[in-house]
């Protein structure tokens, strides 16, 4: 059996695996990405690319591709709660199209609507730009053995033959049923079943012309039993995703019943074509560990969340970015022994936070089941209209946290990481619908529009960036000498004429990590600049951050 070699073997070519392969390649680190399927997407699992993910796309040079994907930029993004398309409307959250939506003050990008069957091809093209990154479809991980100096993987090939691949590191981005996680024996904790849900993709040409509710991204259907169905515009044209929300009872819904459900949602007969049906389980789970040694997990293989909020894929891509620069560091020799172990410490609390908030969003959406509309609200006329407005106003206010969640996407931090230098400052408010930028260590480095037209986030990504933000800032020769001695990628950037930068970053000096998070800051040079860099690259650990916060999920603790 032949033995092939690669620095990084990635298992699973969904958006997280593609992002990891792309970010590694962008960092000049070769990888092999394998996927057991042919890569075709029958059921797009996501359609919202969050603002932080868009900042990564900006870094990779593909933000414009996402912005101008086939999804129409003039399509309204309203969320509407109705009895049926032909029935009464309870309320809505009007939201402008992606073309009209303003950029948030905290970022040079904004969230985008780009379904997975449009987003994955963009990522595939990005990976394909690099000769040292390879994707192989129809190729399955069968088993692997972790050794002291690497990993030996047994691979099944499309022609039915087998081979062995030797890798320095292996990363499982292979989804909820992760072969890699099961092989490692890592348990998932939380709630293994929230609802048994069935997704149905159906086609109907110009569906908005068949009703009076107008174009909208998402319709939530509320009956006497409460919320029972959602329909979203997948492509802004003729494809629609219907989710039969379900409950904790597992059942298979026959196609004839699904057809009746579609007709109930419309409220009258109409022509449609069912394209695919996919039962799935809505879960709330986080892995005990994200791996260790030479094998790691990212994305759905280590956290599963309700899609209410759009946090799953975006959290997974942030996993990939955190892991990629650390793998680069160890492969190229400037990363220390504490760097890769910091991956779980940094990323697991982020997943717990996102999974918990998504669960809250689901509870909000399903709150109608315990507070269903009164019967009169389904009756046309003035009395019914009064009840509909009261109910709709309540539900609209209840659901706002799901529609406006920039704090979840930008507000996570690594302050307690052993490869961060904490400054003793207090924790800022952890908000859902707002985000207050801060230069506190561990947090995402703030965005500021510079006088030359760039965003400050454009400065970060390739290595460590040492910012000097005041003419009073001391010389940084000690940092530079240590970086040169150990081949640590460090760039010094002087921005003396950017007062907004100094105000937001809160210090004359700031070191930003390759992932765009602040690692250290101060007005004076540390006693040993070399020790600071050694902490940030994992050669040493921060004494102040050696006791991380409790990493147990804040959701229920059933083992899955």
């Amino acid at each position: 059996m032949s033995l092939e070699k690669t620095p990084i073997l990635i298992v699973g070519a969904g958006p997280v695996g593609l992002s990891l392969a792309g970010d590694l390649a962008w960092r000049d680190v070769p990888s092999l990405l394998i996927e057991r399927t042919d890569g075709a997407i029958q059921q797009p699992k996501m359609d919202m690319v969050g603002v932080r993910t868009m900042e990564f796309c900006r870094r990779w040079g593909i933000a414009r591709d996402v912005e101008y994907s086939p999804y129409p930029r003039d399509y309204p993004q309203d969320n509407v709660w109705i009895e049926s398309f032909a029935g009464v409307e309870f309320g809505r959250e009007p939201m402008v199209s992606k073309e009209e939506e303003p950029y948030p003050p905290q970022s040079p990008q904004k969230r985008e609507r780009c379904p997975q069957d449009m987003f994955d091809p963009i990522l595939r093209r990005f990976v394909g730009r690099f000769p040292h990154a390879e994707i192989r479809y129809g190729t399955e991980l069968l088993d692997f053995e972790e050794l002291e100096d690497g990993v030996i993987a047994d691979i099944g090939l499309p022609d039915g033959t087998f081979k062995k691949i030797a890798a320095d590191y292996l990363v499982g981005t292979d989804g909820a049923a992760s072969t890699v996680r099961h092989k490692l024996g890592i348990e998932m904790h939380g709630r293994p079943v929230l609802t048994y849900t069935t997704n149905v993709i159906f086609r109907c040409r110009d569906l908005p012309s068949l009703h009076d509710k107008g174009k909208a991204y998402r319709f939530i259907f509320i009956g006497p039993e409460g919320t029972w169905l959602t329909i979203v515009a997948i492509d802004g044209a003729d494809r629609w995703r219907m989710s039969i929300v379900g409950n904790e009872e597992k059942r298979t819904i026959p196609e004839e019943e699904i057809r009746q459900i579609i007709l109930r949602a419309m409220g009258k007969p109409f022509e449609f074509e069912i394209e695919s049906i996919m039962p799935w389980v809505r879960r709330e789970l986080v892995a005990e560990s994200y791996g260790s040694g030479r094998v790691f997990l990212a994305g759905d293989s280590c956290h599963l969340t309700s899609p209410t909020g759009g946090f799953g894929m975006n959290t997974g891509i942030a996993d990939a970015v955190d892991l990629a620069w650390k793998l680069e560091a160890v492969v190229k020799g400037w990363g220390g022994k504490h760097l890769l172990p910091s991956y779980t410490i940094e990323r697991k609390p982020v997943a717990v936070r996102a999974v918990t908030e998504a669960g809250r969003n689901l509870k909000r959406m399903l709150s109608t089941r315990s507070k269903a509309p009164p019967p009169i609200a389904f009756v046309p006329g003035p009395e019914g209209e009064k009840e509909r407005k009261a109910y709709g106003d309540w539900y609209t206010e209840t659901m706002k946290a799901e529609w406006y969640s920039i704090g979840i996407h930008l507000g996570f931090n690594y302050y307690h990481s052993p490869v961060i230098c904490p400054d003793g400052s207090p924790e800022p408010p952890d908000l859902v619908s707002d985000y207050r930028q801060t230069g506190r260590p561990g947090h995402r480095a703030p965005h500021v529009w510079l006088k030359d037209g760039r965003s400050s986030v454009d400065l970060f990504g390739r290595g460590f960036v040492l910012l000097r933000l005041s003419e009073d800032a001391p010389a940084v020769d000690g940092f530079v000498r240590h970086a040169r001695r150990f081949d640590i990628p460090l760039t010094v950037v002087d921005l003396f004429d950017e007062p907004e930068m100094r105000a937001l970053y809160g210090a004359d000096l700031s070191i930003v990590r390759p992932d765009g998070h602040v690692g250290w800051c101060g007005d004076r040079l540390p006693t040993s600049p070399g020790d600071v860099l050694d902490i940030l690259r994992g050669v040493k650990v921060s004494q102040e951050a050696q006791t991380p916060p409790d990493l147990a999920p804040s959701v229920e603790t059933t083992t899955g």
Side-chain angles (χ1 to χ4, degrees), residues 238-281:
D238 65 342
R239 295 181 78 213
W240 306 84
R241 182 176 67 238
M242 179 178 78
S243 295
I244 306 169
V245 179
N247 53 33
E248 296 182 27
E249 177 187 352
K250 185 177 182 179
R251 64 181 294 259
T252 300
I253 304 177
E255 183 171 332
E256 182 54 38
E257 183 177 346
I258 288 173
R259 291 185 175 275
Q260 293 304 312
I261 288 171
I262 294 175
L263 290 173
R264 178 187 171 186
M266 175 56 74
K268 62 182 180 181
F270 76 111
E271 296 295 322
F272 61 89
E273 174 190 349
I274 293 178
E275 188 174 283
S276 63
I277 300 171
M278 184 185 75
W280 60 284
V281 185

Side-chain angles (χ1 to χ4, degrees), residues 289-368:
S289 166
Y290 283 18
S292 62
R294 292 183 174 271
V295 184
F296 298 92
L297 304 170
D300 283 358
S301 68
C302 53
H303 47 78
L304 294 167
T305 181
S306 171
T308 40
F311 306 140
M313 182 205 71
N314 293 288
T315 302
I317 290 178
D319 293 342
V321 171
D322 186 82
L323 184 57
W325 79 267
K326 294 172 179 177
L327 288 170
E328 175 197 13
V330 296
V331 167
K332 293 183 178 179
W334 54 266
K337 65 179 182 180
H338 303 290
L339 192 56
L340 286 173
S342 74
Y343 171 60
T344 293
I345 294 171
E346 291 188 352
R347 292 303 304 167
K348 182 177 175 181
V350 178
V352 170
R353 177 175 177 266
V355 164
T356 302
E357 184 58 28
R360 292 190 188 110
N361 286 336
L362 177 64
K363 290 178 181 177
R364 294 179 187 112
M365 186 177 81
L366 299 183
S367 60
T368 57

Side-chain angles (χ1 to χ4, degrees), residues 62-247:
I62 61 173
R64 294 282 290 180
D65 297 332
V66 179
E67 292 166 354
Y68 292 96
S69 72
Y71 192 95
R73 293 190 66 73
D74 62 352
Y75 199 88
Q77 296 296 292
D78 292 14
N79 290 273
V80 189
W81 7 107
I82 58 177
E83 174 194 13
S84 68
F85 285 123
V88 299
E89 176 178 322
F90 297 100
R92 66 175 61 209
E93 182 73 31
M95 302 181 75
V96 297
S97 69
K98 302 313 298 178
E99 185 175 61
E100 299 169 294
E101 182 178 344
Y103 289 90
Q106 304 96 328
S107 177
Q109 297 294 149
K110 57 185 176 183
R111 59 188 177 183
E112 295 293 342
R113 190 70 66 192
C114 185
Q116 187 180 0
D117 53 357
M118 301 177 189
F119 188 55
D120 278 17
I122 293 171
L123 291 173
R124 280 197 292 267
R125 291 194 296 271
F126 169 54
V127 176
R129 295 178 190 173
F130 303 97
H132 47 284
E134 184 179 359
I135 308 173
R136 295 181 194 168
Y137 290 96
T139 304
E140 184 175 6
L141 175 72
L142 302 175
D143 200 0
F144 66 86
E145 181 182 6
E146 184 178 3
L147 307 173
E148 185 176 340
D149 59 350
V151 179
I152 303 296
D154 296 318
I155 305 299
L157 304 178
D159 62 2
T161 60
F162 308 93
K163 74 183 306 181
K164 287 185 179 290
I165 294 179
D168 294 330
Y169 297 93
L170 184 150
V171 183
T173 57
D174 49 343
S178 173
T179 298
V180 178
R181 187 185 71 245
H182 284 293
K183 172 68 177 177
L184 290 174
I186 295 175
E187 293 185 336
M188 301 277 276
H189 294 277
R191 297 176 62 190
V193 177
L194 298 176
T195 66
Y196 286 97
T197 296
T198 300
N199 279 6
V200 180
I201 304 296
F202 71 92
R203 288 186 179 272
C204 177
R205 182 177 300 175
D206 200 17
L207 187 147
S209 69
L210 302 179
H211 59 78
D212 62 356
K213 304 302 185 290
K215 292 182 177 180
Y217 161 68
R218 186 183 192 189
F219 295 92
I220 296 178
F221 293 80
I222 302 174
E225 71 271 50
T227 299
W228 63 283
L229 188 79
T230 67
I231 292 179
V232 302
I234 292 181
D235 60 359
D238 65 342
R239 295 181 78 213
W240 306 84
R241 182 176 67 238
M242 179 178 78
S243 295
I244 306 169
V245 179
N247 53 33

